[in-house]
């Protein structure tokens, strides 16, 4: 029977420190705004190979190439050997082991917005008091991360965060 003393605490799974910094730069009718977000002081469990999933749905992981394949590989890898049929208990043990715990601290370039504003009241015949044309880009990427695997702690369970872009016009009567 497992004892409470046998449990290993790897750290928080939710960041105790997080926030953002927004900077806006304006010049004449142009405005450039950007936001950086940060999270610190937490850990996450990264994905690795799961042979049961591989056998049933052909979903793999890059750790497959690091698996134990020959006697002596235990000196160079922590990824278990492939065994068929898969042992669910062994898969669960590995997927919940502390070897897969990584630091989650990171700084993300969240978005940038560029806009140009036209004062409509100065334009003859314009029904608008202001016209703002803007472009917006979201999910620009991670600038710094504490884990050495190059993983995105926020999106490593699914596909990477998609880069989103928008163009727009804001009309004020």
């Amino acid at each position: 029977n497992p004892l409470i003393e046998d449990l290993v605490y790897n750290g928080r799974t939710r960041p105790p420190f997080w926030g953002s910094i927004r900077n806006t730069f304006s010049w004449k009718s142009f405005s450039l705004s950007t936001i950086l977000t940060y999270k610190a002081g937490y850990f996450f469990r990264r994905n690795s190979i799961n042979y049961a999933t591989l056998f049933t749905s052909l979903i793999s992981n890059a750790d497959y190439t690091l698996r134990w394949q020959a006697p002596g590989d235990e000196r160079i890898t922590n990824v278990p050997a492939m065994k068929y049929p898969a042992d669910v208990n062994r898969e669960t043990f590995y997927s919940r082991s502390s070897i897969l715990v990584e630091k989650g601290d990171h700084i993300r370039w969240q978005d940038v917005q560029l806009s140009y504003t036209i004062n409509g009241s100065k334009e003859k015949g314009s029904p608008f008091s202001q016209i703002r044309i803007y472009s917006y880009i979201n999910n620009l990427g991670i600038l710094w991360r504490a884990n050495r695997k190059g993983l995105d702690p926020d999106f490593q369970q699914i596909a990477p965060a998609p880069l989103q872009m928008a163009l727009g016009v804001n009309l004020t009567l």
Side-chain angles (χ1 to χ4, degrees):
N1 287 334
L3 301 173
I4 194 76
E5 297 84 30
D6 294 335
L7 292 177
V8 175
Y9 179 71
N10 291 297
R12 298 171 182 245
T13 58
R14 292 187 180 182
F17 309 105
W18 50 271
S20 63
I21 299 169
R22 176 173 294 280
N23 283 309
T24 302
F25 306 96
S26 298
W27 178 72
K28 295 189 179 185
S29 295
F30 288 96
S31 177
L32 177 69
S33 176
T34 188
I35 188 168
L36 299 177
T37 61
Y38 64 91
K39 295 180 182 177
Y42 77 109
F43 295 83
F44 71 101
R45 192 176 312 275
R46 68 179 171 85
N47 288 335
S48 187
I49 188 69
N50 182 304
Y51 297 115
T53 305
L54 175 65
F55 298 150
T56 58
S57 59
L58 300 178
I59 297 173
S60 189
N61 182 286
D63 284 354
Y64 175 81
T65 60
L66 304 174
R67 72 192 183 283
W68 187 4
Q69 299 179 60
D73 281 355
E74 68 274 9
R75 291 185 296 248
I76 59 171
T77 187
N78 292 310
V79 181
M82 184 168 63
K83 179 183 167 192
Y84 186 84
D87 179 343
V88 176
N89 291 324
R90 186 182 108 158
E91 299 297 317
T92 302
F93 181 82
Y94 175 63
S95 70
R96 295 183 182 164
S97 69
S98 61
I99 199 70
L100 299 177
V101 173
E102 302 284 343
K103 285 189 67 65
D105 303 13
H106 66 280
I107 299 171
R108 179 183 307 278
W109 189 7
Q110 190 63 48
D111 67 41
V112 64
Q113 181 174 316
L114 177 64
S115 66
Y116 180 76
T117 303
I118 301 167
N119 189 346
S121 61
K122 291 183 180 178
E123 303 296 324
K124 290 182 181 179
S126 173
F128 306 107
S129 63
Q130 189 178 67
I131 302 169
R132 189 169 72 87
I133 303 165
Y134 65 90
S135 63
Y136 176 78
I137 303 173
N138 190 21
N139 297 326
L140 289 146
I142 292 183
L143 299 176
W144 173 84
R145 67 190 102 217
N147 75 75
R148 297 183 185 200
K149 300 262 184 206
L151 299 173
D152 185 336
D154 291 338
F155 294 97
Q156 80 99 25
Q157 301 293 339
I158 55 175
L163 182 68
Q164 299 171 341
M165 294 183 259
L167 294 173
V169 176
N170 185 334
L171 307 171
T172 306
L173 293 174

